[in-house]
Structure formats: structure tokens, C-alpha cells
């Protein structure tokens, strides 16, 4: 039987829809010992490496950043979504463009400082590039793109060089997330009919299907130990 110590973690985040007006941050009761539960008005949350601040998508159109108590809130860039905080904390990758845009929409991957003091693009292609995820060494980004016709996964250096295609399937491959150890990338795909969770090595080898259930299996993230 796991002990309380097995569940201790500094912070975690998720999002859900609601029709009720809510404050930017509200403390919620947590049933898990060691967890602090915060309800945050936003989506696609990403914590900074120290756990004291996070970036998120505000109203599905703006990248915002704030401390976890709701203070120091700042709108960083718009239109944009899906921020991913650099493991060392001084840069946020994000998608410049509109959420749920058509496949032929020119969305791009950008980098910005957490305070918005600089912004530069990583990708430069008239396709829908979106949903970046940092490699653990902070040198590369995994992302989803329609540049070859349908939604596939790619890897690119943070300086915009070294683009490689990771997946190739007739379906949709999306929502990549790099493992903490750097040896695998988890993602969602409907290549086998409905959406399931898969992992693959960063060199494109050893594809594995993790879930086998009817329904919509989406938005996978790694545990801190990569297991």
C-alpha cells in the first residue's frame, strides 16, 4: 500500500471547462496529502522550474504569466496559446496564432522571455506549427505540424535549425511531450481509429501504443520520474 510520502509533490496543474465566473486563482481543498490544489482561470498551464510561477493560455487567445498566488500577472503575447516553460526558467516556447485553427493556418512556434521583453520565432513555414515541448537539455523542441499534409510530429533546434520529422501516419499525431530522461516522447494519435496514447524515441524508432480503449485519450504528460 503506498504511503503518504509516495504522493508528495510541490505542484501540479490541469484545466477543465466551466461556465461560472471564477477568480484568476482560487485555493481548493486537496484530498491528497502533500498537494496544494489551485484553480486557475486559463488553459494549457505550464509551471516554471521553481514551481513559484506559471504560464497559461488566457481566454484561448493570449499567453499570460503570473505567480501561483495570482500576483504579478502579465499578458505576454497575443494571439497565442500552449506555452511550454524552458527547464532553466528564462524562456517560454509557445504557439503564435489561434487555437483550433484550420490545418492550413499559418501558426508558428515562438520563444519569449517570461516578462515578454523579447520575442523571436523558431519555425518559419506557412503551415500550422503548434504545441511545443522542450527536450530536457533545453536545446530542442518537439511540436506538431501540418507542413507535410496532415498533422505529424517534428523536432527542431531552439535556434530554428536541425528540423527532423518524427512520425509518419495517415492519421493525426499531436500533443507531444518529452520525457524527463529525454529518451522518449509521448503523444496522442488516431492512427488506429480513435485517439490513443503512444510513445516514440526522439530518433523516430520504437513506436509503442500505451492505451487500447474506445474514447478520446488526449493531452498526455510524463510523471517527474519518467515512468
Amino acid at each position: 500500500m503506498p504511503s503518504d510520502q509516495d504522493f508528495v509533490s510541490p505542484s501540479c496543474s490541469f484545466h477543465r471547462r466551466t461556465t461560472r465566473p471564477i477568480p484568476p486563482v482560487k485555493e481548493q481543498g486537496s484530498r491528497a496529502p502533500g498537494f496544494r490544489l489551485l484553480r486557475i482561470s486559463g488553459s494549457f498551464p505550464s509551471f516554471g522550474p521553481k514551481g513559484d510561477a506559471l504560464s497559461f493560455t488566457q481566454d484561448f487567445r493570449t499567453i499570460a504569466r503570473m505567480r501561483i498566488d495570482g500576483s504579478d500577472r502579465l499578458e505576454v503575447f497575443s494571439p497565442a496559446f500552449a506555452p511550454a516553460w524552458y527547464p532553466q526558467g528564462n524562456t517560454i516556447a509557445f504557439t503564435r496564432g489561434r487555437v483550433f485553427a484550420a490545418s492550413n493556418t499559418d501558426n508558428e512556434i515562438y520563444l519569449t522571455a517570461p516578462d515578454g521583453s523579447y520575442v523571436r520565432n523558431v519555425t518559419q513555414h506557412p503551415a500550422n506549427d503548434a504545441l511545443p515541448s522542450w527536450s530536457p537539455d533545453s536545446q530542442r523542441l518537439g511540436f506538431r505540424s501540418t507542413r507535410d499534409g496532415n498533422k505529424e510530429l517534428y523536432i527542431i533546434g531552439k535556434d530554428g535549425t536541425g528540423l527532423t520529422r518524427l512520425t509518419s501516419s495517415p492519421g493525426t499525431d499531436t500533443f507531444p511531450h518529452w520525457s524527463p530522461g529525454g529518451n522518449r516522447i509521448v503523444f496522442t494519435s488516431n492512427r488506429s481509429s480513435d485517439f490513443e496514447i503512444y510513445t516514440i524515441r526522439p530518433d523516430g524508432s520504437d513506436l509503442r501504443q500505451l492505451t487500447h480503449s474506445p474514447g478520446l485519450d488526449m493531452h498526455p504528460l510524463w510523471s517527474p520520474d519518467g515512468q
Side-chain angles (χ1 to χ4, degrees):
M1 186 75 178
S3 66
D4 289 348
Q5 286 74 24
D6 294 324
F7 299 99
V8 174
S9 175
S11 55
C12 62
S13 60
F14 62 93
H15 77 265
R16 70 174 183 179
R17 290 179 179 271
T18 178
T19 57
R20 295 176 298 173
I22 59 174
V25 180
K26 182 179 180 181
E27 187 92 21
Q28 299 286 104
S30 174
R31 298 180 182 179
F35 279 85
R36 182 184 180 202
L37 185 62
L38 303 176
R39 187 176 68 182
I40 297 165
S41 177
S43 57
F44 298 106
S46 176
F47 273 101
K50 294 181 180 179
D52 60 347
L54 89 159
S55 185
F56 56 96
T57 307
Q58 177 179 290
D59 300 324
F60 282 104
R61 64 173 180 267
T62 301
I63 293 296
R65 185 227 67 207
M66 67 182 178
R67 300 186 66 80
I68 60 173
D69 62 0
S71 65
D72 194 25
R73 185 168 178 142
L74 174 69
E75 292 187 2
V76 178
F77 193 89
S78 183
F81 65 98
W85 210 301
Y86 187 73
Q88 275 67 50
N90 60 353
T91 304
I92 295 171
F94 65 93
T95 307
R96 186 224 69 193
R98 296 183 293 108
V99 181
F100 309 127
S103 294
N104 60 355
T105 302
D106 185 10
N107 282 356
E108 302 284 358
I109 305 300
Y110 271 60
L111 303 180
T112 184
D115 62 0
S117 59
Y118 82 88
V119 176
R120 72 173 177 84
N121 59 309
V122 176
T123 62
Q124 300 181 58
H125 192 282
N128 192 323
D129 297 340
L131 306 173
S133 172
W134 288 100
S135 62
D137 64 3
S138 305
Q139 298 305 303
R140 295 180 291 170
L141 289 158
F143 67 101
R144 185 267 292 149
S145 178
T146 60
R147 61 182 62 207
D148 288 318
N150 63 325
K151 293 178 180 178
E152 305 284 359
L153 302 186
Y154 295 78
I155 293 173
I156 195 170
K158 65 180 181 180
D159 61 357
T161 64
L163 178 72
T164 58
R165 182 170 173 171
L166 184 62
T167 63
S168 180
S169 77
T172 290
D173 296 340
T174 189
F175 289 107
H177 191 246
W178 220 304
S179 70
N183 61 327
R184 300 198 72 82
I185 293 172
V186 66
F187 66 99
T188 293
S189 177
N190 64 354
R191 59 178 63 205
S192 62
S193 67
D194 62 348
F195 278 99
E196 304 284 359
I197 306 299
Y198 294 78
T199 68
I200 194 170
R201 293 189 182 278
D203 63 4
S205 66
D206 195 23
L207 177 71
R208 301 180 188 178
Q209 184 175 343
L210 301 187
T211 61
H212 300 80
S213 62
L216 193 64
D217 297 343
M218 297 286 282
H219 305 171
L221 296 173
W222 290 94
S223 59
D225 64 2
Q227 298 302 308

